[in-house]
Amino acid sequence: MTTMDNRDIRIEESDLASRTSARELRRTIRQKLTSDPCIRIDLSAVKSISDSYADELFGVLSAEIGLEPFLSKVKIIGCSKHLTRVIASNIRNRTSVAA
C-alpha cells in the first residue's frame, strides 16, 4: 500500500487474499476518515481479490459506517469489472445483514 496524498491509498499487491491485511487497511482507512471527508482507494494494480478480503475491507467498513456514508466517503478507482462485482457483492451481503 502506498499513500499518494492524504486522501489517496494505492494498493500495489496484485492478488488480495489475506483477511488480516484487509483488516489492517480497513483500520487505516477508518483513521483517515476521521480527518478527511473522502478518500480514494486505487485498485489499478490489483488483478484478483478474494471474497474474504473484499468482505473484511469493504463489507465490514460499509457495515461499520453505514452504506450511504460509505458510498459518499470512499471512492474506489482503477477497478476492473470483475473486482467491482466481488466488492459490490460483499458490501451487499454485509449491509443487508446489518439492516
Side-chain angles (χ1 to χ4, degrees), residues 10-69:
R10 177 175 165 78
I11 299 176
E12 297 175 346
E13 296 86 8
S14 63
D15 302 303
L16 304 176
S18 168
R19 193 173 278 274
T20 302
S21 64
R23 185 177 306 118
E24 291 169 9
L25 181 55
R26 187 182 79 247
R27 290 177 181 151
T28 299
I29 292 168
R30 286 292 305 264
Q31 182 63 34
K32 284 182 173 290
L33 287 172
T34 62
S35 59
D36 289 307
C38 180
I39 63 160
R40 292 176 295 219
I41 302 170
D42 183 352
L43 298 178
S44 58
V46 177
K47 304 296 181 219
S48 69
I49 187 170
S50 70
D51 279 313
S52 61
Y53 189 100
D55 174 58
E56 189 67 40
L57 178 55
F58 300 107
V60 173
L61 182 61
S62 63
E64 286 177 346
I65 68 173
L67 182 58
E68 292 302 319

Side-chain angles (χ1 to χ4, degrees), residues 62-79:
S62 63
E64 286 177 346
I65 68 173
L67 182 58
E68 292 302 319
F70 175 85
L71 294 174
S72 67
K73 294 179 178 191
V74 179
K75 304 301 178 199
I76 302 168
I77 60 173
C79 195

